[in-house]
Each structure stands twice: as structure tokens, then as C-alpha cells.
Amino acid sequence: MSDLSPWPEGVARHVLPRCASTNAEALSHAARHPGPAWIVTHDQYQGRGRRGRDWAMPAGNFAGSLALRPAGDPAQAALYSFVAALAVADAIAAVAGPAARLALKWPNDVLLNGGKVAGILLESAGHGGAVSALAVGIGVNLAATPPADPDAPFAPVSVAAETGITITPEDFLDLLAPAFAAWEGRLLTEGFAPIRRAFLARAARLGETITARTGRVALVGRFDGIDEGGALLLTTPAGRQSVPAADVYF
């Protein structure tokens, strides 16, 4: 494992024995406190994934959320999903070393050796077109895999099973928090462009044919990247399409 970077200045850290949802805790924290805070639990019993799906958490896995009060509108807040994906990949790489095959699946999954090892869920609160609180939820299969979802595009994998390396959620947070702070710093000072380049450098199946399902519609085309707002760029027989939200299948 690589040397630890310092814990980011001004960021609080809370480890809970048990809670329903770290995202819910993060939104509550952000409503009461101005500063950012990581909230991690050893037992999350009502975790959520995209589109309201359940997120199971076997013992020893990482469930955590970063509570933020970002500036800007919902579209700008949504870019934190890419920041989180890059940070999770960096943290896993620090644990697993160069032999681990890591890839980022648009819009919110991290793949390890071809299986899903982590997922990201952003939830926000606000009014009048402004975001007053943002929870950046992250789940990582460190120790064990949850039951496989037959409708999921990838089978779940764990860091322990794929690499033989074990790490506690607290130690993983020590890697994740500095990585997130570094990428967030670039987003705030340089804009989305460097985040977009870094994401595409690790993007799974870039340039290949994929299927993007949006509700009942399935779009099939070549994955040609993401645009300046983070939307999927898909070249289909009908031409280039920008897809802001979808489930992607390879």
C-alpha cells in the first residue's frame, strides 16, 4: 500500500456503529453544519443505490458519505459523481497495487477485474434551483460481495477476493478522503475539463458498442465519451446522441 496522504484540512470525520443510510446522515449534517464531513458506518441497514435499488452491505465493506454544501446548481453538483469515481479508483489502486485492473463505468460504478466493486449515489437538498446540501454516497465491497442482482450488468466482486488484500473501512477512508479532496480541488480551480479527461482515460469500453437504457428506451451505439456536462455521448445509426442519465450495459 502506498504512503498515506494527510487527512484533508477542515474536513470532519464521523464513524457510526450503525445507521440506516450514510447519505441521510450526511444531508442532515450538511443542513446543520457548514463544513464538509465524512460519515462512515459499520452497519448500514437501509442503503440505497440508483433508481431506488437496495444497496446491501456485508460486514467489513465500506459505506460512507461526504456531506457538502457546494456552490452552484444541480448540474454542477452532479459533477461530483465523477470526482468520487476517480477518488475511489485511486484509493483502491493504493490498496491493491498496479496489478489490479480498474475501470470506471459511466455514470457511477467502479470496476475491478471486470466486476463491480463500488457504486456512487449523489443525493441533494435545496430550493429555487440551488443545491443547499449534497451527500456523496460511496459503497465499496472491501471484504465481501453482496448477493448478485440478476438485472445488474455486472457481477459484484470484492477487493479481498480479487486481490487477497484486506483493509478496514477506516483505513480505506484514510486513502479515500485525501484522494477526493485532490480531485475536488481540481474541479473547483480548473473546472470539469481535467476531471473529464481523467475519467475518460479510465472509462470502461470507450469506443465500443454499448446499450444505454433510459426507462423503457434502449439506445445502442458507440460510446464516444462524455460531454462538458458529464452526459454520455453515444453515436447511433440515427446520429450522435447526448444521454444525461441511463443504465449502461456492455
Side-chain angles (χ1 to χ4, degrees), residues 149-162:
D149 180 353
D151 295 325
F154 293 93
V157 299
S158 72
V159 172
E162 294 298 314

Side-chain angles (χ1 to χ4, degrees), residues 120-131:
I120 296 155
L121 178 67
L122 303 189
E123 293 185 295
S124 63
H127 55 85
V131 175

Side-chain angles (χ1 to χ4, degrees), residues 22-37 39 66-70 123-127 131-135:
T22 59
N23 263 16
E25 294 286 341
L27 288 175
S28 175
H29 185 281
R32 294 178 285 112
H33 303 282
I39 298 169
L66 177 60
L68 293 172
R69 286 187 180 180
E123 293 185 295
S124 63
H127 55 85
V131 175
S132 61
L134 178 68

Side-chain angles (χ1 to χ4, degrees), residues 85-105:
L86 290 166
V88 171
D90 283 352
I92 295 175
V95 174
R101 292 187 297 110
L102 288 161
L104 305 179
K105 174 180 170 287

Side-chain angles (χ1 to χ4, degrees), residues 38-128:
W38 280 99
I39 298 169
V40 175
T41 186
H42 289 285
D43 182 7
Q44 179 177 248
Y45 55 90
Q46 288 181 359
R48 300 183 298 275
R50 272 170 52 84
R51 304 185 188 278
R53 301 184 182 103
D54 291 336
W55 180 273
M57 184 196 169
N61 284 358
F62 179 87
S65 300
L66 177 60
L68 293 172
R69 286 187 180 180
D73 58 20
Q76 292 169 301
L79 301 179
Y80 274 89
S81 178
F82 299 95
V83 170
L86 290 166
V88 171
D90 283 352
I92 295 175
V95 174
R101 292 187 297 110
L102 288 161
L104 305 179
K105 174 180 170 287
W106 184 93
N108 68 331
D109 292 339
V110 180
L111 307 180
L112 172 62
N113 296 343
K116 179 174 176 177
V117 71
I120 296 155
L121 178 67
L122 303 189
E123 293 185 295
S124 63
H127 55 85

